[in-house]
């Protein structure tokens, strides 16, 4: 089952076609990597968030499957919405759209991390019904390796 999802992702990425579609956005596969040593995950899927009206790229969402010290601070799900497209809850919709992929890999919950000052991302987590697990200090070696902030809030999302 897992390999079928990977094959489908790669096939759709090569064609530039959407894998998931919602009411306002679609997720178009862009990059797949297996056994990513940089972040210590088994599978990493990166999608373009594409606005359906005009088929413009509005941002990206990544799903990382696995557990590692790096992923503790990065989370399973990471997203970014470009400034002209903010304020439409695209990140929350993108998270909901990837939930079948989470289930396919046996994840009943996922971690989303955000900087404590990133109010839009915190609002996305709240919109999704996430529970704040904790706020953690990121070790310097992880900050340098991944170029991330010194502090992260860890939210648990149960889609």
């Amino acid at each position: 089952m897992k390999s079928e999802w990977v094959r489908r992702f790669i096939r759709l990425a090569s064609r530039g076609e959407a894998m998931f579609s919602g009411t306002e956005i679609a997720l178009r596969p862009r990059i797949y990597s297996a056994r990513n040593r940089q972040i210590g995950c088994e599978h990493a899927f990166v999608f373009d968030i594409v606005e359906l009206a005009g088929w413009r790229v509005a941002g990206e969402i990544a799903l990382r499957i696995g557990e590692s010290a790096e992923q503790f601070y990065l989370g399973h799900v990471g997203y970014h919405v470009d400034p002209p497209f903010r304020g439409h809850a695209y990140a929350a919709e993108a998270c909901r759209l990837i939930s079948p992929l989470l289930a396919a890999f046996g994840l009943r919950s996922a971690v989303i991390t955000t900087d404590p000052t990133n109010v839009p991302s915190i609002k996305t987590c709240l919109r999704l019904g996430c529970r704040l697990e904790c706020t953690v200090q990121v070790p310097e070696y992880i900050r340098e390796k991944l170029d991330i902030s010194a502090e992260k809030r860890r939210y648990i999302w149960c889609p």
Side-chain angles (χ1 to χ4, degrees):
M1 182 67 165
K2 293 176 189 177
S3 60
E4 177 54 36
W5 282 95
V6 171
R7 283 193 300 272
R8 182 173 176 226
F9 183 97
I10 292 168
R11 184 177 64 248
L12 292 171
S14 71
R15 297 178 184 166
E17 296 176 9
M19 187 167 187
F20 302 108
S21 282
T23 56
E24 296 188 45
I25 62 164
L27 300 182
R28 183 175 61 199
R30 186 164 35 107
I31 300 167
Y32 169 76
S33 62
R35 292 174 185 54
N36 185 311
R37 286 182 170 74
Q38 169 95 13
I39 57 176
C41 69
E42 297 170 36
H43 304 276
F45 300 89
V46 179
F47 295 86
D48 287 328
I49 299 171
V50 180
E51 190 179 51
L52 291 176
W55 202 248
R56 297 173 297 175
V57 175
E60 72 176 28
I61 186 166
L63 174 61
R64 300 173 282 266
I65 308 293
E67 301 296 333
S68 67
E70 294 83 0
Q71 217 171 315
F72 180 84
Y73 301 101
L74 279 178
H76 296 105
V77 178
Y79 47 77
H80 170 81
V81 177
D82 296 331
F85 302 96
R86 293 179 182 163
H88 300 284
Y90 288 169
E93 187 175 353
C95 288
R96 287 186 193 100
L97 289 173
I98 63 165
S99 62
L101 197 50
L102 286 166
F105 282 87
L107 292 177
R108 293 183 194 196
S109 65
V111 172
I112 300 173
T113 64
T114 183
D115 292 352
T117 57
N118 188 342
V119 175
S121 188
I122 292 168
K123 286 181 179 179
T124 295
C125 289
L126 296 175
R127 184 175 281 117
L128 290 168
C130 297
R131 175 183 53 84
L132 177 62
E133 178 187 53
C134 60
T135 301
V136 293
Q137 298 301 310
V138 180
E140 189 171 337
Y141 81 96
I142 298 274
R143 289 195 329 253
E144 290 174 1
K145 182 178 183 180
L146 303 176
D147 192 27
I148 61 174
S149 302
E151 189 174 56
K152 290 289 182 183
R153 293 179 80 165
R154 285 178 45 92
Y155 287 91
I156 307 300
W157 175 44
C158 298

